[in-house]
Structures are given as structure tokens and as C-alpha cells.
């Protein structure tokens, strides 16, 4: 408990992070429920995007993820010329857990992630590999992994304004890399991920668009329930922190909840050895009547 | 001096002046062509066995020195062809080994032979001629003369060498060689084979054609290097090297039969040009241009060509008029007119000998268009139009503006044979480029005619008027036959009035939000006074003066009103409509506008007219803007990042892409919520770098 409360001071940091592209890439339903505190979690639904260190322990799987932003319907009139609707969604598919060596300690996964609105899309092609390294101590283990990302963003012009036709319609690409580490010791797991290590100007995106960030996370199993807490530093922004708790009700059903400075989330997790289904409902509490739902389905074999 | 006062002297002086003037003009305009004439002015061929005096244009073939199967001691080097009023001249440079024969076959277009294998001797009609060769000719070449030499002896008319005419003997049904008159450079003193020598031959026109040929008569030539003659064994040599190059491979045996395929063609022209070089000029017409293709002279011609083209046949024949230079043997002539005959000839640069003449006509619609070069009312419609001499199947306008590189396509409307479109000009200063494409069954015409060109309109809102009794405010095309004006009373001499036209988007927030409900801005005029170096706006006139403005819109004049903005409020002026114009007495120069509409402030009208720039680049000064059909009483506007975190909050319906601290936000998707008069709108926008 003591360790966990160490994180509390970080939560009160006043922060004003401004957006950047691909900033939702590291989110899955499970991390959303618990306030984006996911990098140390042992059962993240896709290590490829959250923390590649977990890839070494991943079983063969297919993971499907869909997110939809929910806004109150516009009352100002649907027939406004030039109106780009707030239709925002996010899709993600990963396949993997293939062992690269005998002994199942080094594995590989691939994935495609996309966020899109009618005028705009961000697409990431992901290739990750990770290894679980046994340590001399019986109760501890070290996991390491990296994810290579090809990032592409596309936008089309506002086609109401005549002058803008063809003016900005464009597509830009970049290459980047995430590297992660998890250290497990009895009922505690410590995780760290460094994202966007490669300077994004290897591609055509500007480095200021794809910001490097570091996320530290801690997870503790209290037996009856577990807690997680993470801190994220993104370049040019102050730190943000998130907290989450997960409570198993039966052997296959859990409920979870969490928050960070922007979101309050809650969800249920159905988990058997073969399938898992996660539903997250998240309130964007600074934005009135706005929320998002995120559904993930994972099939292991 | 006394001579000048006599009438004859005066006439002479006037003629002299006129000639001087004409010469000067000629020099000024056609100095290029004139220099060409001077560079290769007609000269006399001296029959001295040295071709140095021959002009470049007269050397009609430079042969490869590595194309003889018999090696470098049996090579033809060059052929010169030219003429004057008396003679046809040719000159040859060659090297021959012992025993071989150099023969020039000449086709004058009269009946000739298809083979020289069975030519009969001048001395004995029953005997095969010593100089008959086992050579045959392809269709198109039928020689009736030959000139020949044993090795490079060049004996003239001695020893059986020289010029011979093939004469058909009907009684025996054979062709017999008979000596013909000619002149030739002296015998080569070194008669041994294997040494390079030149020879020059003059053949009187009377021999070839019975007199000076008519213009356009064609002379064809093949120069051949042949094996000799072994009469004892009945072996007669055949060609094993030729000018021009031949299509067929030479026979392996020195006397094997051979068919000559290629020949050089010359067209007689009694003008300035001694040797017209047949170039096989080909014309391919397309759209507004014509592609001219011609043959290079010989295989090795490397030069600059001057392609002369004109609708005036006489000028072309004298190598005058427009020409275009190229190093290629093809060229596009652009910017051509329709339905007129163009004549074309080409010349090597620095020579005065031209190719044959050819001509062509571009068919298709003839368009006339007055290019729009200036437009003074950003955001207003500009009529782009042309008239055609016929009804078209399609008429299209292509235009682009701003930073956009690609042209947009618009089908034109038509009224009779006038095709037009009222294009809305960008609402800011800049350029707009356009061109037209018109097609009918005969082809397509573009305007401007030069392929890839376009007209460019400078859109500039500033109009400057000099003080006058009535300062005419020009129309959108900067033409002054427009019925808008500002009366010059109450201005000082030297005063200038500057008018900047503006649209709704040019208005600052104060002027915009002060616009009366339900009225829309048709056209704005920022009128300022320039007195000396100083510019006054507003400027308060000592007394009232008259302003007359014609409106630039589709509104009925009854819906329009004239307003003055005093910095806080729009004030309606007492204006009467007069023949499609608004006339008012004004007290001050400053911001004036024509507004349209009346003022029904119903709930129905309380809506957003449109949202501008939902994809925008703040660093370029662009912004997201909600344009209302009326003036809302209360606006609350929030912007959030993708995680729902509020980054901007304001009370106007504009977001300039900056967060609350004034920094331009990172590119990406942003969400907004706009509240106004109890209504709410949520949406997303994209910020670009």
C-alpha cells in the first residue's frame, strides 16, 4: 500500500498537454478503464501498443478493438455547409504471439491501428517482438520488447471552401520505435516504456507532431483486488498520471475503474482461458455530454 | 549641292532615302536572315580538284569512312551538289584501290534504266560496255546519265572516262552509252589507287534537261564505288560502297549483282537558293500546333536548323519571316492561327539553301477572347468568355488560384456563339489563372493558343483615382466605362482617392459583429484620401459630395442599401436607386458597403449559415469560423483535444488554432463545442501545420 500511495503526489501536477498526432495509439479498453495506467499490467489486451515488454509472454491470439466517440447530437442543424461531423472512431487489430525460438520466450506480433474522422485519419502499422528473461531469483522475471511503427496520417481538404480544394489534401509518413521493460517480483510489477524513440523525421512527419514520451507504471496484487498507477512524460508537456483498480467477481468476470486528468472510466472484463471481452465506458469529463466506448475482443489459442 | 535642287536630283535623293530606310528596316527585322545570305552568298565553283570553296550547304553527304567492305582504301568521303544558271555541279572526295571504278548515277526524271548490267558500248552496240556494272536500282531511281573514273585518275573525257548518256536504241531494244558534254577538274597527277582525291564536275543544264530546268525539277543521285571489269572472263564489278548509305548488304563477291536502294534528291529552284535539299518535310497537326519533321541530310548531319514558317509564300521562299531554331530534326510550331495556310521550309543555320516547301492548315474553331488581366472586386463574380466562329461541341474553362497547382474544369454556358462562365473570384488579393478548350468535329482549340500557357488575372482590391470633376470608379475589370463615380467637389487639386474593395471575410470582428441582423454584405469599399504623402481614412469632407455605386450582385436593386461604418456601428445612408445604381450624398470617406436583404429576425433564421475552414493551418493565419445567418446574442466556444481536455475557451465563433496560453496547438484532430442562444453544436476539426 505504501508503494502505491507514492504515486498520489504526481496526480496533482497541473498540466496542460496539447495534442499531437498518434496520441491514442497506446490505448486499449483495459488501459482506458484504469486511467491509462497500463504499462506494468500483466494482462493488457495488446502489449504491442501498450508495452512491448509483455510480448514475450503473449499467447497466440487475435485481438480486435473498436472505439467510438459519443457526443450529444448537434442541435444547430445537420445541413450546415462545411460542417465536418464529429464522427470519430478508432480501430485496431493485432495478431501474434508467434514464438521465434523454442522455449516460448521470444515472440512476435503484428498489428494495424487507425483513428479516423471524415476529413482525417491516422494509421499505424506495427511490428513488435519481446522476450521473457528468467532471472536467478525464483520469484522474479524480466521482460523486454520493442515495437517498430510505421505511422501515416492523411487528411483531405475542407471541400466547402472553393479555394481550399486540393490545397491541403495530403498524406505524410514516418517510422518510429517503442521499447519497453517489465520487472516482476512476487506480487509487484514495475514497467517502463519509452515511445517514439526514433526521431519521426526519418519519415515526413515533423518531430514535433510525433512526440517522444516515457511512461512508468506500477501494479500490485492485493489478492482480493489489484491496483495500478502510471505517470507519463511527453516532451514539451508536463506529466500526467493515472490510477486504476480491478476487482475480480468470479473466475471469469472482473469489474474495473480508474481515472486521469481527462477521463473517468469504468468497465467489465469477461475473461476465460480462450476468450476475453472488455467493455470500457469513459467520460471525457471536461467536455460536456461527451464520452467514448471501447470494446475489445481477444481470442487466444 | 546644286544638283539637289533639280527635280531629278530631288527624286534621286528621295529614292535614296527610301532605299536607305527600307534597308535599315530590313536590317533591323531580318538581320538574322540577311546574315545567313551573306554567310553563303552565291559563289563560283572552280574546277580545280579541290572542294575547299564549297559551302557547307553544298556538301550534301558526309559519308562514314568505315562502311566499305573493302576497307579504308576503298571509301567514299563526301559529295557536294550545287548549281548556277548554267551548270549542275557535283564534287566528290574518295579513295579507291587499284582497278576499282567510281561511278555517279544521275536520274533527271526522264526515262532511264532499272539496271546498268546490260549497257552497250558506244563503239559497238552489240558489245557489253566496259563500264557497265552488275548494279540494279530500286523503284524510284532510273538513271539516264553516269559519270565515272578509273580509280581516282579523273581523266575527264579521256580513256573512256567521263560523262555518258544512256540512249535507248529501239531497233536492238537495248540501252547504249553515249559520251556527253561536261567540264571537269584536271586529271589527278597521282593516278595510283589508295590515295584520297577530290574531283569537281560541271554538267551544263542543256545536257541534262535541254536547257535550264523548270522550277521544281528533281535530280536524283547515287555515288558508287565498284569493282573493276574483267572482260576476258565476263566479270563486271558491282557497287561495294555508296553515298547515300544503302539498305542492302554488299555482295561478298566483287562482281556479285547488287541493288541500290537509297538516293539523294535535289529540287531545282532558280531563286537565291542554289541547292534545295529535299528533306521529306512531314507535318502533323494537332490542336493549336503543328509538328514539323524532316530528314537529316546524310547520316552524320549535326547542326542547328532554322524552321521558317509564315502565311506569306513569297517571304518564305526568300527565307524571311519567323523562324525557330532547333538542333533536332523535328519541332512544334505553336501559337498558330486556325484556317489559314502556313508555309514551312527549313534551312541549316548559316546556309541559304532551304528544303522543299510544304504547307498546312489547322482546322477547328476560331476563338476570340479578350483576356481579363485585372480584377478589383475580390469575392465577386468575374465573367470569363470567348466567342467562336461556329457552334462548339464542348467548351470548357480551366482555372486555378491561390497555392493550388491543379486546374479545375468547368463547362461553359453558351449564348449563341458566345461561351461564358461567371466565376467567383477568390475573396482575397492574388492571382487566378485560366484557359479555355473548345472542340468541334474538326478538332480542339485552346486559348491561349500556345500549349501549356494560360491567362493570369491579378486580383487586387486597390483602385486609385485622381481628382477630377467626376472620379470614375472602374468596374471589376478596371475599365472605366462603368457608371460608378465619386464627385470631385470638396477635394483639392492633386488629391487622390484610394479605394480598396472588400468582402465579408475582410471585415474585422467589430465591423462584422456590428453588421445588422439578416443583412449580408454584397460589396464593401474602403475609401481613403491621399493628400501629398498622407493618407486619411476616414476623411471628413467639408460638405457633402455625391457617391454613385453600381452593385456587383444578382440582387434586385430594391433589396440593396448603402451603409457607412463609423468604427462602431453601421449607419444606413439615404440612397436612391438610379438606373441600377445606388446614389447617396456622403459626408465622410471611410468604410462603405452595399448590404442586401431586409431584417426579419425570426427563430427560423437563427442558424449557422456555414462553417468555414474545418481543416486549417493556424500558422498561415487561417482559422475555424462559424458564419451565422444572424447575429447571436451570446456565444460560448470551447475546444478540446482528442482526450477531451479543454485547451481553449472563448466567446466568439472563431478559433485561430491557439490554446489558452496563445500557443499554436500541435497538428491533429480537435473537438469543439459551440453554444449560442441556447443551441449547441459539437464537432471536430483538423489543425494542419
Amino acid at each position: 500500500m505504501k508503494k502505491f500511495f507514492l504515486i498520489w503526489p504526481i496526480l496533482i501536477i497541473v498540466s496542460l498537454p496539447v495534442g499531437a498526432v498518434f496520441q491514442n495509439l497506446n490505448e486499449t479498453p483495459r488501459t482506458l478503464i484504469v486511467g491509462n495506467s497500463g504499462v506494468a499490467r500483466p494482462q493488457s489486451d495488446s502489449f504491442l501498443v501498450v508495452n512491448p515488454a509483455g510480448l514475450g509472454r503473449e499467447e497466440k491470439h487475435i485481438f480486435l478493438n473498436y472505439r467510438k466517440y459519443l457526443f450529444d447530437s448537434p442541435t444547430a442543424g445537420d445541413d450546415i455547409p462545411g460542417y465536418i461531423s464529429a464522427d470519430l472512431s478508432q480501430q485496431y487489430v493485432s495478431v501474434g504471439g508467434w514464438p521465434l525460438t523454442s522455449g516460448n520466450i521470444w515472440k512476435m506480433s503484428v498489428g494495424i491501428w487507425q483513428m479516423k474522422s471524415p476529413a482525417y485519419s491516422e494509421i499505424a502499422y506495427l511490428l513488435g517482438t519481446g522476450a521473457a528473461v528468467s532471472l536467478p531469483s525464483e520469484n522474479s522475471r524480466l521482460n523486454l520488447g520493442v515495437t517498430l511503427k510505421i505511422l501515416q496520417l492523411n487528411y483531405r481538404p475542407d471541400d466547402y471552401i472553393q479555394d481550399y480544394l486540393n490545397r491541403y489534401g495530403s498524406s505524410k509518413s514516418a517510422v518510429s520505435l517503442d521499447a519497453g521493460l517489465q520487472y516482476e517480483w512476487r506480487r509487484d510489477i514495475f514497467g517502463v516504456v519509452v515511445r517514439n524513440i526514433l526521431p519521426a523525421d526519418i519519415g515526413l512527419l515533423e518531430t514535433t507532431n510525433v512526440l517522444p514520451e516515457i511512461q512508468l507504471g506500477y501494479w500490485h496484487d492485493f489478492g482480493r483486488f489489484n491496483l495500478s498507477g502510471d505517470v507519463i512524460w511527453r516532451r514539451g508537456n508536463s506529466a500526467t498520471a493515472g490510477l486504476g483498480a480491478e476487482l475480480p467477481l468470479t473466475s471469469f468476470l472482473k469489474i474495473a475503474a480508474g481515472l486521469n486528468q481527462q477521463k473517468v472510466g469504468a468497465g467489465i472484463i469477461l475473461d476465460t482461458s480462450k476468450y476475453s471481452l472488455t467493455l470500457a465506458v469513459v467520460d471525457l469529463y471536461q467536455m460536456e455530454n461527451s464520452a467514448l466506448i471501447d470494446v475489445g475482443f481477444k481470442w487466444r489459442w | 549641292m546644286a544638283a539637289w535642287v533639280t527635280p531629278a536630283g530631288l527624286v534621286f535623293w528621295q529614292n535614296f532615302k527610301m532605299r536607305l530606310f527600307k534597308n535599315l528596316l530590313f536590317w533591323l527585322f531580318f538581320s538574322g536572315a540577311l546574315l545567313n545570305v551573306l554567310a553563303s552568298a552565291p559563289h563560283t565553283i572552280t574546277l580545280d580538284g579541290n572542294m575547299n570553296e564549297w559551302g557547307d550547304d553544298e556538301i550534301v553527304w558526309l559519308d562514314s569512312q568505315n562502311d566499305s567492305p573493302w576497307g579504308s582504301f576503298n571509301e567514299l568521303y563526301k559529295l557536294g551538289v550545287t548549281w548556277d544558271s548554267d551548270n549542275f555541279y557535283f564534287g566528290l572526295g574518295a579513295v579507291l584501290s587499284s582497278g576499282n571504278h567510281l561511278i555517279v548515277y544521275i536520274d533527271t526524271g526522264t526515262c532511264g534504266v532499272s539496271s546498268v548490267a546490260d549497257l552497250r558500248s558506244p563503239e559497238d552496240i552489240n558489245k557489253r560496255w566496259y563500264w557497265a556494272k552488275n548494279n540494279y536500282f530500286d523503284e524510284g531511281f532510273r538513271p539516264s546519265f553516269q559519270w565515272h573514273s578509273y580509280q581516282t585518275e579523273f581523266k575527264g573525257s579521256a580513256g573512256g572516262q567521263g560523262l555518258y548518256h544512256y540512249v535507248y536504241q529501239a531497233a536492238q531494244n537495248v540501252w547504249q552509252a553515249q559520251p556527253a558534254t561536261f567540264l571537269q577538274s584536271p586529271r589527278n597527277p597521282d593516278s595510283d589507287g589508295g590515295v584520297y582525291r577530290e574531283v569537281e564536275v560541271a554538267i551544263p543544264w542543256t545536257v541534262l534537261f535541254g536547257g535550264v530546268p523548270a522550277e521544281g525539277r528533281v535530280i536524283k543521285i547515287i555515288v558508287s564505288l565498284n569493282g573493276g571489269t574483267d572482260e576476258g572472263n565476263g566479270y563486271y564489278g558491282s557497287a561495294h560502297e555508296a553515298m547515300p548509305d544503302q539498305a542492302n548488304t554488299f555482295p561478298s563477291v566483287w562482281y556479285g549483282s547488287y541493288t541500290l536502294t537509297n538516293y539523294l534528291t535535289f529540287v531545282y529552284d532558280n531563286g537565291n537558293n542554289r541547292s534545295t535539299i529535299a528533306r521529306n518535310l512531314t507535318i502533323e497537326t494537332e490542336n493549336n500546333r503543328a509538328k514539323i519533321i524532316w530528314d537529316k541530310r546524310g547520316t552524320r548531319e549535326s547542326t542547328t536548323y532554322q524552321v521558317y514558317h509564315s502565311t506569306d509564300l513569297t517571304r518564305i521562299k526568300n527565307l524571311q519571316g519567323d523562324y525557330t531554331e532547333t538542333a533536332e530534326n523535328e519541332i512544334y510550331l505553336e501559337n498558330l492561327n486556325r484556317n489559314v495556310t502556313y508555309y514551312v521550309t527549313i534551312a541549316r543555320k548559316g546556309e541559304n539553301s532551304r528544303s522543299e516547301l510544304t504547307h498546312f492548315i489547322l482546322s477547328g474553331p476560331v476563338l476570340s477572347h479578350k483576356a481579363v488581366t485585372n480584377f478589383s472586386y475580390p469575392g465577386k463574380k468575374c465573367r470569363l468568355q470567348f466567342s467562336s466562329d461556329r457552334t462548339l461541341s464542348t467548351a470548357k474553362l480551366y482555372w486555378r488560384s491561390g497555392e493550388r497547382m491543379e486546374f479545375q474544369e468547368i463547362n461553359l454556358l453558351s449564348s449563341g456563339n458566345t461561351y461564358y462562365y461567371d466565376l467567383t473570384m477568390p475573396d482575397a488579393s492574388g492571382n487566378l489563372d485560366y484557359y479555355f478548350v473548345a472542340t468541334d468535329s474538326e478538332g480542339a482549340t485552346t486559348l491561349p493558343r500556345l500549349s501549356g500557357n494560360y491567362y493570369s488575372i491579378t486580383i487586387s482590391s486597390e483602385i486609385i483615382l485622381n481628382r477630377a470633376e467626376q472620379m470614375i470608379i472602374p468596374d471589376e475589370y478596371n475599365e472605366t466605362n462603368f457608371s460608378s463615380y465619386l464627385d470631385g467637389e470638396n477635394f483639392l487639386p492633386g488629391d487622390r482617392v484610394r479605394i480598396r474593395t472588400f468582402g465579408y471575410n475582410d471585415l474585422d470582428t467589430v465591423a462584422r459583429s456590428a453588421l445588422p441582423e439578416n443583412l449580408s454584405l454584397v460589396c464593401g469599399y474602403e475609401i481613403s484620401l491621399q493628400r501629398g504623402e498622407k493618407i486619411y481614412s476616414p476623411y471628413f469632407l467639408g460638405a457633402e459630395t455625391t457617391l454613385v455605386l453600381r452593385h456587383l450582385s444578382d440582387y434586385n436593386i430594391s433589396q440593396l442599401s448603402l451603409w457607412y461604418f463609423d468604427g462602431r456601428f453601421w449607419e444606413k445612408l439615404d440612397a436612391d436607386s438610379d438606373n441600377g445604381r445606388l446614389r447617396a450624398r456622403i459626408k465622410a470617406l471611410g468604410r462603405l458597403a452595399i448590404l442586401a436583404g431586409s431584417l426579419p429576425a425570426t427563430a427560423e433564421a437563427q442558424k449557422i449559415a456555414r462553417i468555414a475552414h474545418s481543416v486549417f493551418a493556424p500558422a498561415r493565419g487561417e482559422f475555424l469560423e462559424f458564419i451565422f445567418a444572424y447575429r447571436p446574442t451570446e456565444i460560448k466556444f470551447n475546444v478540446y483535444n482528442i482526450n477531451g481536455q479543454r485547451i481553449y475557451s472563448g466567446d466568439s465563433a472563431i478559433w485561430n488554432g491557439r490554446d489558452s496560453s496563445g500557443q499554436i496547438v500541435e497538428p491533429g484532430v480537435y473537438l469543439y463545442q459551440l453554444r449560442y442562444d441556447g443551441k449547441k453544436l459539437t464537432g471536430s476539426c483538423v489543425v494542419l501545420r
Side-chain angles (χ1 to χ4, degrees), chain A residues 249-293:
Chain A
L249 297 178
T250 70
S251 60
F252 60 88
L253 179 65
K254 296 174 196 170
I255 55 171
L259 83 165
N260 63 14
Q261 281 104 317
Q262 295 112 29
K263 299 170 189 151
V264 180
I268 53 171
I269 302 156
L270 278 167
D271 210 342
T272 69
S273 58
K274 214 167 180 187
Y275 305 104
S276 78
L277 180 69
T278 308
L279 171 68
V281 180
V282 177
D283 179 36
L284 308 172
Y285 61 76
Q286 293 183 6
M287 190 173 174
E288 196 176 319
N289 299 337
S290 298
L292 57 91
I293 54 165

Side-chain angles (χ1 to χ4, degrees), chain A residues 122-191:
Chain A
E122 297 175 0
I123 301 170
Y125 304 92
L126 306 150
L127 169 67
T129 182
V133 184
S134 293
L135 296 174
S137 165
E138 198 177 303
N139 291 320
S140 64
R141 181 155 49 177
L142 182 65
N143 304 316
L144 300 166
V146 290
T147 299
L148 179 68
K149 306 188 285 190
I150 297 171
L151 307 171
Q152 188 185 66
L153 68 84
N154 307 292
Y155 41 86
R156 67 167 177 76
D158 177 341
D159 54 15
Y160 180 72
I161 309 293
Q162 220 173 25
D163 293 353
Y164 275 58
L165 268 177
N166 297 328
R167 188 164 166 192
Y168 292 134
S170 185
S171 175
K172 291 181 171 184
S173 303
V175 175
S176 196
L177 191 73
D178 296 351
L181 174 150
Q182 278 179 326
Y183 175 68
E184 302 177 19
W185 182 70
R186 292 186 180 172
R187 294 177 148 200
D188 298 291
I189 304 179
F190 169 75

Side-chain angles (χ1 to χ4, degrees), chain B residues 379-648:
Chain B
K380 296 285 160 263
K381 284 176 179 167
C382 172
R383 175 158 293 197
L384 298 173
Q385 65 178 10
F386 64 80
S387 61
S388 167
D389 66 335
R390 66 197 71 177
T391 304
L392 301 170
S393 49
T394 66
K396 289 182 171 166
L397 164 71
Y398 293 82
W399 69 277
R400 68 176 181 194
S401 72
E403 292 166 20
R404 196 170 54 233
M405 295 306 292
E406 285 171 18
F407 282 89
Q408 312 290 304
E409 179 188 291
I410 289 177
N411 283 315
L412 296 178
L413 306 170
S414 67
S415 163
N417 280 348
T418 298
Y419 294 82
Y420 66 96
Y421 189 81
D422 291 324
L423 185 67
T424 303
M425 293 284 106
D427 199 356
S429 294
N431 281 337
L432 183 137
D433 304 327
Y434 72 98
Y435 64 91
F436 298 108
V437 177
T439 48
D440 74 346
S441 55
E442 287 184 23
T445 304
T446 62
L447 272 178
R449 289 197 301 272
L450 195 57
S451 299
N453 272 20
Y454 46 80
Y455 302 108
S456 195
I457 305 175
T458 303
I459 302 159
S460 164
S461 61
E462 187 157 80
I463 300 162
I464 297 174
L465 310 176
N466 289 310
R467 189 196 175 280
E469 203 167 307
Q470 275 189 352
M471 287 180 267
I472 304 295
I473 300 170
D475 71 359
E476 59 267 50
Y477 307 108
N478 273 358
E479 286 176 6
T480 52
N481 56 354
F482 191 55
S483 44
S484 298
Y485 64 88
L486 178 64
D487 248 354
E489 56 182 316
N490 300 318
F491 290 91
L492 299 180
D495 278 354
R496 292 178 120 187
V497 168
R498 289 172 171 269
I499 300 178
R500 189 182 63 83
T501 61
F502 60 83
Y504 180 83
N505 285 341
D506 297 319
L507 289 178
D508 56 46
T509 328
V510 180
R512 191 180 295 192
S513 56
L515 273 177
E517 282 184 21
N518 265 23
L519 289 192
S520 59
L521 189 143
V522 174
C523 189
Y525 300 82
E526 170 115 44
I527 305 179
S528 54
L529 176 73
Q530 184 181 358
R531 180 167 287 164
E533 294 296 303
K534 277 198 155 179
I535 293 174
Y536 302 90
S537 183
Y539 176 77
F540 297 95
L541 299 162
E544 287 189 343
T545 193
T546 303
L547 174 67
V548 176
L549 290 175
R550 201 194 79 177
H551 65 96
L552 294 156
S553 74
D554 301 328
Y555 285 99
N556 188 309
I557 188 90
S558 64
Q559 291 179 284
L560 301 175
S561 46
L562 189 60
W563 297 67
Y564 178 80
F565 185 65
D566 67 3
R568 283 186 64 200
F569 300 107
W570 289 91
E571 179 195 343
K572 191 175 179 197
L573 301 177
D574 251 346
D576 53 352
S577 56
D578 161 31
N579 197 18
R581 303 174 299 174
L582 289 168
R583 176 200 297 270
R585 297 285 285 171
I586 57 169
K587 290 176 191 165
L589 304 182
R591 215 179 302 180
L592 290 123
I594 295 176
L595 303 185
S598 46
L599 308 158
T602 63
E604 271 297 294
Q606 292 188 6
K607 60 176 188 179
I608 293 174
R610 65 184 174 98
I611 301 173
H613 307 193
S614 31
V615 176
F616 68 108
R620 298 166 193 252
E622 296 165 0
F623 44 81
L624 169 69
E625 183 187 18
F626 300 83
I627 296 165
F628 293 91
Y630 78 114
R631 186 146 53 101
T633 51
E634 188 188 354
I635 292 173
K636 188 75 186 163
F637 187 47
N638 290 326
V639 181
Y640 306 85
N641 69 15
I642 196 76
N643 288 314
Q645 185 175 18
R646 188 164 67 216
I647 57 161
Y648 170 80

Side-chain angles (χ1 to χ4, degrees), chain B residues 164-433:
Chain B
Y164 286 81
H165 185 199
Y166 308 151
V167 179
Y168 181 64
Q169 302 294 3
Q172 293 84 2
N173 188 25
V174 291
W175 289 84
Q176 186 179 31
Q178 292 186 352
T181 309
F182 69 106
L183 297 164
Q184 182 177 317
S185 52
R187 176 182 178 175
N188 178 5
D190 174 9
S191 60
D192 287 343
V195 180
Y196 175 79
R197 293 291 168 192
E198 292 178 351
V199 65
E200 293 163 300
V201 177
I203 308 173
W205 289 121
T206 48
V207 172
L208 290 175
F209 293 106
V212 176
E215 191 160 336
R217 276 303 287 265
V218 168
I219 304 162
K220 300 173 185 172
I221 279 189
I222 302 174
V223 181
S224 61
L225 189 158
N226 300 270
T229 302
D230 178 358
E231 285 182 297
N233 290 311
Y235 294 144
Y236 290 77
S238 57
H240 281 75
E241 151 78 318
M243 293 189 289
D245 294 327
Q246 300 296 308
N248 297 330
T249 311
F250 295 114
S252 52
V253 184
W254 65 272
Y255 51 81
S257 73
Y258 183 69
T259 302
L260 291 150
T261 53
N262 295 352
Y263 47 85
L264 291 167
T265 306
F266 304 93
V267 183
Y268 178 75
D269 180 338
N270 61 10
N272 286 334
N273 314 299
R274 286 161 305 170
S275 54
T276 299
I277 308 297
R279 294 281 190 176
N280 191 24
L281 280 178
T282 313
I283 312 288
E284 293 172 6
T285 58
E286 60 172 74
N287 201 355
N288 289 338
R289 59 184 190 170
K291 187 180 188 183
I292 318 291
I293 308 161
W294 57 92
D295 292 343
K296 288 198 166 195
R297 198 166 60 184
T299 54
R300 305 198 308 149
E301 184 172 68
S302 170
T303 184
T304 301
Y305 300 101
Q306 289 172 325
V307 183
Y308 287 80
H309 50 99
S310 172
T311 54
D312 183 341
L313 179 60
T314 312
R315 287 163 63 80
I316 277 290
K317 288 179 78 169
N318 292 315
L319 286 187
Q320 294 172 354
D322 298 331
Y323 67 83
T324 311
E325 292 191 350
T326 174
E328 303 298 321
N329 61 329
E330 59 179 52
I331 195 169
Y332 279 103
L333 299 181
E334 306 266 10
N335 203 13
L336 301 174
N337 286 311
R338 295 266 156 183
N339 304 323
V340 290
T341 304
Y342 280 94
Y343 297 93
V344 179
T345 189
I346 72 156
R348 267 180 76 167
K349 189 177 183 183
E351 300 178 0
N352 69 342
S353 62
R354 59 166 177 78
S355 71
E356 72 272 26
L357 265 168
T358 189
H359 66 272
F360 63 91
I361 299 174
L362 288 181
S363 54
V366 179
L367 310 181
S368 70
H369 168 61
K370 188 178 175 201
V372 179
T373 54
N374 286 290
F375 193 82
S376 301
Y377 291 80
K380 296 285 160 263
K381 284 176 179 167
C382 172
R383 175 158 293 197
L384 298 173
Q385 65 178 10
F386 64 80
S387 61
S388 167
D389 66 335
R390 66 197 71 177
T391 304
L392 301 170
S393 49
T394 66
K396 289 182 171 166
L397 164 71
Y398 293 82
W399 69 277
R400 68 176 181 194
S401 72
E403 292 166 20
R404 196 170 54 233
M405 295 306 292
E406 285 171 18
F407 282 89
Q408 312 290 304
E409 179 188 291
I410 289 177
N411 283 315
L412 296 178
L413 306 170
S414 67
S415 163
N417 280 348
T418 298
Y419 294 82
Y420 66 96
Y421 189 81
D422 291 324
L423 185 67
T424 303
M425 293 284 106
D427 199 356
S429 294
N431 281 337
L432 183 137
D433 304 327

Side-chain angles (χ1 to χ4, degrees), chain A residues 19 72 168 206 208-209 288, chain B residues 622 646 666 675 680 689:
Chain A
D72 52 340
Y168 292 134
E206 292 171 62
T208 48
N209 290 7
E288 196 176 319
Chain B
E622 296 165 0
R646 188 164 67 216
E666 283 289 330
R675 298 165 166 285
K680 192 166 74 176
R689 181 162 295 279

Side-chain angles (χ1 to χ4, degrees), chain B residues 35-287:
Chain B
L35 283 173
N36 288 341
V37 173
L38 290 178
S40 53
H43 59 276
T44 308
I45 296 295
T46 313
L47 300 178
D48 58 0
N50 181 336
M51 292 176 70
N52 285 348
E53 80 274 24
W54 290 63
D56 277 351
D57 58 323
E58 294 163 326
I59 304 301
V60 297
W61 189 269
L62 287 166
D63 197 56
S64 163
Q65 291 165 27
N66 297 307
D67 62 345
S68 161
W70 292 339
S72 60
F73 289 103
N74 286 286
E75 285 287 358
L76 299 174
Y77 279 58
K78 64 181 175 184
L79 169 67
V81 170
T82 189
W83 55 73
D84 56 24
S85 54
D86 299 324
N87 296 305
F88 173 79
Y89 297 91
F90 67 83
L92 274 174
V95 53
L96 272 74
S97 291
S98 297
N100 288 336
H101 295 174
L102 180 61
I103 304 181
V104 178
Y105 294 107
I106 303 170
D107 176 354
T108 54
T110 52
C111 189
V113 299
S114 60
S115 165
V116 288
D118 193 34
L119 288 174
R120 299 306 169 95
S121 163
E123 293 83 25
D124 182 353
I125 197 166
N126 294 316
K127 191 184 168 205
R128 187 172 178 182
W129 191 24
Y130 177 83
W131 300 96
K133 292 295 162 195
N134 207 3
N135 288 337
Y136 296 78
F137 304 101
D138 251 6
E139 221 172 297
F141 190 79
R142 290 290 178 264
S144 46
F145 288 89
Q146 82 171 50
W147 172 94
H148 56 251
S149 168
Y150 182 80
Q151 299 166 192
T152 47
E153 285 184 349
F154 306 147
K155 278 185 175 176
S157 54
Q161 299 185 28
L163 183 72
Y164 286 81
H165 185 199
Y166 308 151
V167 179
Y168 181 64
Q169 302 294 3
Q172 293 84 2
N173 188 25
V174 291
W175 289 84
Q176 186 179 31
Q178 292 186 352
T181 309
F182 69 106
L183 297 164
Q184 182 177 317
S185 52
R187 176 182 178 175
N188 178 5
D190 174 9
S191 60
D192 287 343
V195 180
Y196 175 79
R197 293 291 168 192
E198 292 178 351
V199 65
E200 293 163 300
V201 177
I203 308 173
W205 289 121
T206 48
V207 172
L208 290 175
F209 293 106
V212 176
E215 191 160 336
R217 276 303 287 265
V218 168
I219 304 162
K220 300 173 185 172
I221 279 189
I222 302 174
V223 181
S224 61
L225 189 158
N226 300 270
T229 302
D230 178 358
E231 285 182 297
N233 290 311
Y235 294 144
Y236 290 77
S238 57
H240 281 75
E241 151 78 318
M243 293 189 289
D245 294 327
Q246 300 296 308
N248 297 330
T249 311
F250 295 114
S252 52
V253 184
W254 65 272
Y255 51 81
S257 73
Y258 183 69
T259 302
L260 291 150
T261 53
N262 295 352
Y263 47 85
L264 291 167
T265 306
F266 304 93
V267 183
Y268 178 75
D269 180 338
N270 61 10
N272 286 334
N273 314 299
R274 286 161 305 170
S275 54
T276 299
I277 308 297
R279 294 281 190 176
N280 191 24
L281 280 178
T282 313
I283 312 288
E284 293 172 6
T285 58
E286 60 172 74
N287 201 355

